[in-house]
Amino acid sequence: MRGRFSLRGRVMVAYGLLALGLSSVLALVTWKVVSDYLTEQRQSSAIVETSDNAAAFHYGVFGAPKPCNPAREGAECNSPTPRADVDVQALLNSLPSTDAASSMVYYSNRWYASTGRPSDLPPDLIATVLDGHTAHRSVTVGGQHVLAVGVPLRRPGEAFFEWHPLESLDNTLRTLKITLVVAAIVTALIGLAVGRLASTLALRPLAELTRVADAVARGQLDARLPAEKDRDLGGLARSFNQTAADLERRVAADARFAGDVSHELRTPLMTMLNSMQLIQNHRAELPAPVREPVELLGDDLDRFRRLVIDLLEISRDDGGDQGSREIVRIADLVRAAADATAGREVTTVAPEAEGLTLQADKRRLERVIANLVENAEDHAGGCKGVGVEAGGLGVIITVDDAGPGIAAEDRDRIFERFGRGETSGRGRGVGLGLAIVARHVQWHAGTIQVTDRPGGGARFVVELPAK
């Protein structure tokens, strides 16, 4: 469950299950109490109605009861004499109308019935009532659920029976059951909603921690948690803020170190470059065996120069350089930077992108375009073209190369410092150019990604928020 649900989801599910459990228990108790009460009331009502009809039948057969002295009359006191002119069937049919579906009587060893068949009565019910006890049974007769009630008459071995339909009771209980089930479901849904609200409130500090941690991960090392005075989260906030502050100081120290080293290297580097230029100017005068080492040394000095420049750029960003924003026409800036770096016209601007402007650090944005084109020219078989069009966050800049492309597993790694794609064939890069590109694009609140170019090669896609 932990692998499939987030913490907020687990809190919601816990609240929902708790609400469902409580509502289910309440529904079961309510069902038990109400159903038992309604059933008892229906049984009591049926017994009373059947007893009244039995008394009316007895009165019609035997007349009003006469005073009886058991000591003088003996057994005849409990065995009244029926009237001679009584029509039992007519009397049974003339009983007061109640909700009974059928009335039957066992009188003088014979069954009489207004409707229904005595054979549908449960044998144990008949035996119990003829034995002198009032009884009832829930039975189904002809597909109808009824309550069969039997009461003994005054003479032994005689009894009166009625069927009372239970359809109304069944409908009431069915409605109650549906209502309780719906109430339990609604309560569970309310529990989920309350759980979502509670989890949102409870996890708000965690969301803030996530936001600040993400900001630190993106390079905003001055981001801090504001909950240091919170009684529950103060310790965590202070520890996190202290860690972020230590990291910021360390990065700043590293940036200063890299910047200081780069500055210190610039003087001897310029001396070596000037000396190498002087040697190359007199290359024809050098012995043949020395020319190739001199060319190799020149290439390595050029790479060394680029490395120092990139280190200075990285240290400037790490040191907190805020830069300066100005309104620039994106098409003009990209065209100038890309064409100058490639030494030829490589830029194509869509008509709808000609007028797009952007508040940008001109130096940083030019460096993004120059590094991407230089990367394509030096390490990927040449730049196949640079495109500018409207879309995405505002403007989309694409840089295509003629290289073998970049494997999917390397497409994030190449933007790391000194990261190179192992399968991309870009092994001669110093590994800082694309890292600088990623930092500068992020500074402009944009995104950069690598895809495959139609026809082969890699395509770097930069999206920037334009106006």
Side-chain angles (χ1 to χ4, degrees):
M1 179 177 176
R2 291 186 177 181
R4 290 181 301 215
F5 293 100
S6 63
L7 179 57
R8 177 172 297 178
R10 293 198 293 272
V11 173
M12 288 177 55
V13 171
Y15 269 85
L17 292 178
L18 178 61
L20 180 60
L22 293 177
S23 61
S24 298
V25 171
L26 182 61
L28 291 175
V29 172
T30 303
W31 166 258
K32 178 65 176 175
V33 173
V34 175
S35 63
D36 288 350
Y37 175 78
L38 293 178
T39 301
E40 289 179 7
Q41 290 296 311
R42 186 67 183 97
Q43 291 172 355
S44 299
S45 174
I47 292 173
V48 170
E49 291 177 3
T50 303
S51 299
D52 290 344
N53 284 341
F57 176 82
H58 186 274
Y59 179 82
V61 172
F62 299 102
K66 298 178 181 180
C68 177
N69 187 350
R72 186 171 55 127
E73 300 181 20
E76 295 181 356
C77 179
N78 293 323
S79 301
T81 303
R83 297 188 309 190
D85 58 345
V86 173
D87 184 346
V88 176
Q89 185 64 50
L91 177 61
L92 189 63
N93 293 335
S94 66
L95 289 176
S97 176
T98 63
D99 66 350
S102 178
S103 299
M104 291 166 285
V105 64
Y106 186 72
Y107 174 74
S108 297
N109 298 321
R110 181 182 173 187
W111 282 101
Y112 297 89
S114 60
T115 58
R117 297 176 302 176
S119 59
D120 291 330
L121 291 171
D124 62 327
L125 174 66
I126 297 174
T128 301
V129 178
L130 291 179
D131 197 34
H133 303 283
T134 300
H136 59 82
R137 298 286 188 278
S138 178
V139 297
T140 301
V141 178
Q144 183 181 16
H145 188 206
V146 298
L147 181 67
V149 181
V151 296
L153 297 176
R154 291 188 61 184
R155 294 202 309 183
E158 296 179 349
F160 185 84
F161 299 90
E162 282 187 342
W163 290 341
H164 296 269
L166 296 178
E167 181 180 0
S168 177
L169 176 63
D170 291 341
N171 290 336
T172 301
L173 294 179
R174 188 180 302 110
T175 302
L176 175 64
K177 184 187 298 184
I178 295 174
T179 301
L180 292 176
V181 171
V182 172
I185 295 175
V186 171
T187 303
L189 294 177
I190 293 175
L192 288 174
V194 173
R196 179 174 180 81
L197 176 61
S199 63
T200 300
L201 295 177
L203 298 178
R204 184 172 294 169
L206 184 59
E208 179 68 13
L209 173 62
T210 303
R211 184 189 65 79
V212 175
D214 184 62
V216 172
R218 293 197 310 268
Q220 300 178 16
L221 300 181
D222 58 344
R224 297 293 185 270
L225 282 174
E228 289 193 6
K229 296 183 180 180
D230 189 284
R231 184 173 57 184
D232 300 316
L233 300 174
L236 175 63
R238 284 189 292 272
S239 298
F240 180 88
N241 290 342
Q242 182 63 41
T243 302
D246 292 342
L247 177 62
E248 184 179 18
R249 284 193 295 270
R250 180 171 298 180
V251 170
D254 292 344
R256 285 195 300 270
F257 175 76
D260 293 343
V261 170
S262 300
H263 278 292
E264 292 297 327
L265 289 176
R266 290 184 69 178
T267 300
L269 176 62
M270 292 303 300
T271 301
M272 288 187 289
L273 288 174
N274 291 333
S275 300
M276 177 56 64
Q277 185 63 45
L278 180 62
I279 293 174
Q280 288 180 341
N281 290 338
H282 297 277
R283 181 176 178 278
E285 303 174 8
L286 296 176
V290 179
R291 294 175 185 175
E292 183 176 356
V294 168
E295 291 179 359
L296 294 176
L297 181 60
D299 292 341
D300 285 340
L301 280 176
D302 186 62
R303 292 181 60 204
F304 189 27
R305 177 186 62 81
R306 294 183 185 181
L307 175 60
V308 171
I309 294 174
D310 288 344
L311 284 174
L312 284 172
E313 188 75 18
I314 287 287
S315 63
R316 180 183 298 176
D317 270 0
D318 289 343
D321 179 25
Q322 298 298 318
S324 59
R325 293 182 181 271
E326 58 182 299
I327 301 297
V328 298
R329 289 176 61 92
I330 300 175
D332 294 343
L333 185 147
V334 173
R335 186 184 291 112
D339 294 352
T341 304
R344 62 187 187 281
E345 293 186 3
V346 294
T347 307
T348 302
V349 179
E352 67 272 12
E354 283 287 355
L356 292 178
T357 60
L358 170 67
Q359 276 202 345
D361 185 321
K362 189 175 180 181
R363 179 189 63 80
R364 280 186 167 95
L365 196 53
E366 287 177 342
R367 188 65 185 273
V368 168
I369 305 303
N371 278 15
L372 289 176
V373 174
E374 187 178 89
N375 180 76
E377 286 287 299
D378 295 344
H379 313 303
C383 179
K384 298 295 291 184
V386 178
V388 182
E389 59 185 41
L393 298 176
V395 62
I396 299 176
I397 303 171
T398 59
V399 178
D400 294 339
D401 62 41
I406 301 175
E409 61 270 17
D410 293 333
R411 291 179 180 177
D412 291 331
R413 182 170 30 180
I414 61 173
F415 293 107
E416 299 174 358
R417 297 182 182 184
F418 298 102
R420 301 185 184 93
E422 296 179 0
T423 61
S424 65
R426 301 170 185 263
R428 289 187 54 80
V430 296
L432 287 177
L434 294 181
I436 293 172
V437 168
R439 290 288 295 272
H440 288 353
V441 170
Q442 181 182 353
W443 189 91
H444 286 90
T447 63
I448 183 170
Q449 60 179 332
V450 185
T451 62
D452 293 325
R453 181 180 71 88
R459 168 172 290 178
F460 288 79
V461 182
V462 178
E463 293 187 20
L464 298 172
K467 295 183 179 181

